Amino acid sequence: MAVRARTLEQARELYRTNWELVWWVFMRVSGLALIFLVFGHLFFNNIQVNAGDIDYDYVASRFSRSWVKVYDSFLLGLAMLHGVNGLRYSVEDYIKRPARRFWAKVGLFTAASVIFVLGVMTLWAFTYEEMGEAIRALPGG
Amino acid sequence: MQITVKIKRFDPEKRPRPYWAEYPVEARPEDRVLDVLNYIKWELDGSLSYRRSCAHGICGSDAMLINGVNRLACKLLVKDLGRSISVEPIRGLPVLKDLIVDMEPFIDSYRAILPYLINDDPAPAAERLQSAEERERFDASTKCILCACCTTSCPVFWTNGRYLGPAAIVNAHRFIFDSRDQGTAQRLQVLNQGNGLWRCRTAYNCTESCPRDIPITQAIEEVRREALWGHS
């Protein structure tokens, strides 16, 4: 049954933000979205083309398309947030000492940020056709 | 039938660490584990300590880890366990002696969720009426006997004693879904935080260990949905 706030104090209690609740909902939504994103990824890279035929040109031409950049950004972002939050749950469940828990989380978030930034740079900061030409111009390229 | 009972003993005044003691017992298949423990205490070793009171699965005193599962010793028959029985104190709470644990942290969590009717309306002349359907809504969670089988089978509670635990959430469920109660906002303020509802990882140990067959994981999920959607 829905509870109606009768006083200002009760209303404040009801509308206070709660990050654990937000993360819990995020884990459900992102988990569902990731199922479709990952199977889409498998389809594009293993069924639409023969996985053995994938070479630099194929990847470069894929990454030059905007929809692939957007698709892969969602895949990267949701997978990183979902996975790192899952690890954060484990850290909070199993590391009891506050200082160790703090540093474990610092390490986890730092590693995750580095991987995330590298992924975003790979997706958005390079123009693959030019890179492709440059690679092909190299001896033996 | 001849059975062997292994009991994890602990007496801090005599030995600093817990140890296993084995007792050969002649038991009947229809004996309860509590009868076997009584036999050991009364006939073999009077120093064995454990809690028991009603011996009929209602008081919730004799929760123990029996053959690896949290059970009430008074509700479990020897014939369902085989010839070798191991008995340990329930996990996650400090052991005081043998099978007796300090229940205070468990009771603290129970107190935290305000386990009583909150209704500021003037009391009617007779009782506060409720339809059969409204009563049915929280029927399962009224069955809790606070034996701590669920909370002490929870892997999150084992590693993180700050977690309120399934028993506290079930008892909050009992009032949150009671049409006569108005304290939902206050209870959710306690539950809707990192060490409350959201630390449950749905391991289902609680549901499997409950001697009263309360669908505990489902109750936790229902309280979560109340926290998520209830106030819209």
Side-chain angles (χ1 to χ4, degrees), chain B residues 123-145:
Chain B
E127 68 266 51
R128 297 180 195 271
L129 289 175
Q130 188 170 47
S131 72
E133 291 74 27
E134 284 170 334
R135 177 61 179 72
E136 182 64 28
R137 181 69 192 83
F138 60 94
D139 188 62
S141 46
T142 63
K143 296 188 162 70
C144 178
I145 55 174

Side-chain angles (χ1 to χ4, degrees), chain B residues 45-119:
Chain B
D45 187 344
S47 70
L48 178 67
S49 305
Y50 49 94
R51 287 196 181 102
R52 82 275 195 214
S53 183
C54 79
H56 287 80
I58 292 299
C59 72
S61 302
D62 59 353
M64 331 177 158
L65 186 68
I66 302 170
N67 281 12
V69 188
N70 278 0
R71 291 277 179 262
L72 297 181
C74 59
K75 281 190 85 172
L76 197 56
L77 301 186
V78 167
K79 67 175 179 184
D80 296 325
L81 289 170
R83 291 181 181 280
S84 159
I85 299 175
S86 78
V87 185
E88 292 172 56
I90 45 178
R91 289 180 178 162
L93 293 168
V95 181
L96 300 176
K97 184 168 189 275
D98 295 339
L99 302 171
I100 298 178
V101 298
D102 180 8
M103 295 285 277
E104 222 29 62
F106 174 81
I107 300 295
D108 280 344
S109 298
Y110 174 63
R111 286 194 197 103
I113 56 95
L114 316 173
Y116 40 81
L117 186 82
I118 298 176
N119 189 329

Side-chain angles (χ1 to χ4, degrees), chain B residues 126-172:
Chain B
E127 68 266 51
R128 297 180 195 271
L129 289 175
Q130 188 170 47
S131 72
E133 291 74 27
E134 284 170 334
R135 177 61 179 72
E136 182 64 28
R137 181 69 192 83
F138 60 94
D139 188 62
S141 46
T142 63
K143 296 188 162 70
C144 178
I145 55 174
L146 293 171
C147 64
C149 273
C150 57
T151 295
T152 58
S153 70
C154 172
V156 177
F157 184 77
W158 292 338
T159 58
N160 187 336
R162 293 168 302 155
Y163 173 43
L164 278 176
I169 301 176
V170 163
N171 283 283

Side-chain angles (χ1 to χ4, degrees), chain B residues 203-225:
Chain B
Y204 282 96
N205 279 13
C206 52
T207 307
E208 283 174 16
S209 68
C210 180
R212 306 283 293 161
D213 294 327
I214 302 171
I216 300 175
T217 312
Q218 188 188 329
I220 296 175
E221 186 64 27
E222 285 174 7
V223 179
R224 279 170 162 171
R225 288 186 188 182

Side-chain angles (χ1 to χ4, degrees), chain A residues 45 54-66 68-69 122-123 126-133 135-136:
Chain A
N45 291 303
I54 292 179
D55 56 4
Y56 181 84
D57 279 339
Y58 176 78
V59 177
S61 68
R62 254 178 66 79
F63 279 177
S64 65
R65 293 171 203 184
S66 337
V68 175
K69 285 182 200 277
T122 314
L123 274 173
F126 297 109
T127 48
Y128 284 92
E129 279 138 325
E130 285 172 24
M131 282 268 301
E133 292 300 322
I135 289 281
R136 273 191 287 280

Side-chain angles (χ1 to χ4, degrees), chain A residues 41 51 56 58 81 90 120:
Chain A
H41 180 83
Y56 181 84
Y58 176 78
L81 286 171
S90 300
V120 171

Side-chain angles (χ1 to χ4, degrees), chain B residues 7-73:
Chain B
I7 301 177
K8 199 173 197 178
R9 305 283 311 264
F10 176 57
D11 184 352
E13 286 174 7
K14 292 192 178 137
R15 280 165 81 161
R17 299 187 67 81
Y19 61 98
W20 287 95
E22 267 193 32
Y23 303 93
V25 176
E26 178 64 36
R28 287 175 305 173
E30 63 272 22
D31 276 345
R32 301 162 304 168
V33 173
L34 184 62
D35 297 322
V36 174
L37 291 175
N38 284 340
Y39 173 79
I40 295 170
K41 183 173 177 66
W42 295 337
E43 308 290 339
L44 302 179
D45 187 344
S47 70
L48 178 67
S49 305
Y50 49 94
R51 287 196 181 102
R52 82 275 195 214
S53 183
C54 79
H56 287 80
I58 292 299
C59 72
S61 302
D62 59 353
M64 331 177 158
L65 186 68
I66 302 170
N67 281 12
V69 188
N70 278 0
R71 291 277 179 262
L72 297 181

